[in-house]
Amino acid sequence: MIVLEQILKKIATLKEQIQHFLYHPYLLQHVSAQAIDEDRILLLLSMLASAQLSPEEMDGYVVPVMLVQIALDTHDNVSNSLSCQQEDELKMRQLTVLAGDLYSGLYYEYLAKRSDLTTIYLLAEAIKEINEHKIRLYQKDIGKIESLFHSVAIIESSLIYKIGEHLSVPSWSKFAYYFLLLKRLGREKEQFNKQGTSVLFEQMANIVFSKNKAMAKEQKHYLAHICNRYIQHCKEELLNMKLECNDLLKKRLSELIGSFSAIAKKTVEEG
């Protein structure tokens, strides 16, 4: 098992490597830098340590996976600004598309230089799967609540999930599936509470209240109840897994589960 000090140092080193790949002076003047999700790095390192990979082999998975994730996140920012009309906004949108394309190319270049065709294939399969489920999600082409939450989980976890399957550590794939779904549900619920809408809640409403255009307060509460059920399911799945987690992952899991307990309590008090 990786000790806390070692894994913190490793995460910092990997972030520096990734930031070096992402550095482009002109783009940074016009496009906001994407945050590097330390939880994803932590999940990957924990999984790779379980598979007994060397530090160099770990880098060979973490760096390209994170480059792909950042590329996907960058392209998602474009879809959130389709209504832009001003010339400056249009330019920013075009540059954001180009930035996502650039980051996508970086992962391929990184792996090609290492002649790692297997990982290129794995990540290409994951990207295809993620994009298929994103299309279903944004086109509201999902008819069941269970399928909806599964699609969200695939979008969030497929990159890491497929690495775990390839390395024959399926328990870690399952852990990443529920851990990252739990994080996404938290973001969706927070956005819904603050803004009255979110991609996930809109799709839930489309499935549950297909004939209603405007939601009543009781309907919004019902959607929140559904989301809370899946949050609880994720928490139970994570807590029931018998994985040997390092101290940092244990801490993050405790924080994540604890934060949802606090949110649930606040929601009940305000409701």
Side-chain angles (χ1 to χ4, degrees), residues 209-233:
F209 311 122
S210 57
K211 295 182 180 180
N212 296 319
K213 294 184 178 179
M215 285 189 291
K217 183 177 180 181
E218 292 77 11
Q219 291 173 321
K220 291 183 178 180
H221 278 299
Y222 182 65
L223 295 181
H225 171 69
I226 294 173
C227 187
N228 286 336
R229 275 184 18 219
Y230 275 87
I231 286 173
Q232 184 60 33
H233 175 64

Side-chain angles (χ1 to χ4, degrees), residues 182-194:
L182 185 57
K183 283 190 66 175
R184 174 68 181 267
L185 294 183
R187 295 196 302 271
E188 294 283 342
K189 186 175 178 181
E190 182 178 9
Q191 183 181 344
F192 182 71
N193 288 338
K194 289 182 177 180

